[in-house]
Amino acid sequence: MNQSTKHQPTTDRIVAIDILRGFALLGILLMNVMSFSMPDAAYFNPTAYGGDEWWNRLVYGIVHVVADQKFMALFSLLFGAGVMLLISNLERKGQTVARIHYIRNGWLLIFGLAHATFIWSGDVLTVYALSAFVLYFARKLAPKWQLSIGLLIFFVPTILNLTIQNALPELAAADRQLMQTDWQPSPADIEAELAIFRGTYADQLAYRLASESAGKTSSGEDWTGLSLMVDFFARALGMMMMGMACYTWGILTAKRSNRFYWMMVLSGFAVGLPMAVWGLLLNMNAGWAWDYSIFAGRILNNFATPFVAAGYIGGIMLWSRGTLWTGLRTRLAAVGRTALTNYIGQSILATTIFYGFGLGLYGTVDRITQLVVVLAIWLLQLWLAPWWLARFRYGPLEWLWRWLTYFRWPMHLTRKSAEGQKLGSIS
């Protein structure tokens, strides 16, 4: 692609990024609510907890197909795009790129560690911050290389899971039993976890700290931990690399033609959704058995993720150009502009609803009721974000992050003093 076709940011196109980010942030809660409200095993294995009724299994299946990995993929793409936008803005202003990039993401790492330790163990900010340390070195690669390398990194977990799957018969019986216990905890283990998260904040904090510091005790657990660690980091970093390319090509900024975006919608959903459904059916056919679902059972959904994410991107970019539901669009953009605040805010709201220091509903809410909680949080954030930005230029945590990065009081803090500034800045 020649230089003339590369993306040059304008206000409208950056607003399109904010709309997509808001959509991704709200969508992530569809998966995260399972971790907030039920024992950890239920996030991956619907037979471990959450109700055996057909409607609960149906909700799990639908959310798995449309949300599992897909919204994290979108958020990762946008993180990569944000790195490119920040760097281009810094270079244009003649500022030191590396220093600001690493300070900014160093603080993001601290935010993530604090979030994981003191609020919720499912944090992804640490993964994003560590990935960003590597991402800096990819900024000057040609977009085609960013895309190609990103795809290779993204599919590393598929290769690893296939390798582990083939090695499972060689594991010792004790190791196999430990993996099965992690995947399908006993009633006593479930009750112990329920008691912790229905208990005091001190109990929950001690549990998280103990989980973080505990070492692996078997080769079976080592394989499971390695698979999950590589899965999270490779999917995040791979999609970030692809996001850098998509930003340069204008894909994430509503610059391409309607025909291009319709092709993304039709081809992405036509390939990705059936593939995700196929993977779900294979897991169901296997009875969600640990020796299939932990490793091989994740592969088809991994393949489906970039396609479904492409479908979402195409649809949001087309929507950002139209006149349908413009009020909702504006609210989503506001959520996207305050993404860090809203991400941590979701954790605070959800833990207050489900954990013992709040309403104590942990383990008592089925999957359908979880969707009601998700909808309530969505409505609150869609109302609160534009209300806040009507008065202030930054979200509270965005303001703090900016202040820590540049170590100076951000100018134009209030909305009135920022009049005329770009609505969609993510730098």
Side-chain angles (χ1 to χ4, degrees), residues 155 202 206 258-259 323 373 386:
F155 286 114
N258 284 354
R259 181 177 181 275
T323 58
V373 174

Side-chain angles (χ1 to χ4, degrees), residues 406-423:
Y406 297 98
F407 211 68
R408 65 174 183 267
W409 194 271
M411 300 296 291
H412 308 302
L413 177 60
T414 66
R415 189 70 217 155
K416 184 176 180 181
S417 65
E419 189 174 2
Q421 295 291 325
K422 289 184 178 181
L423 176 63

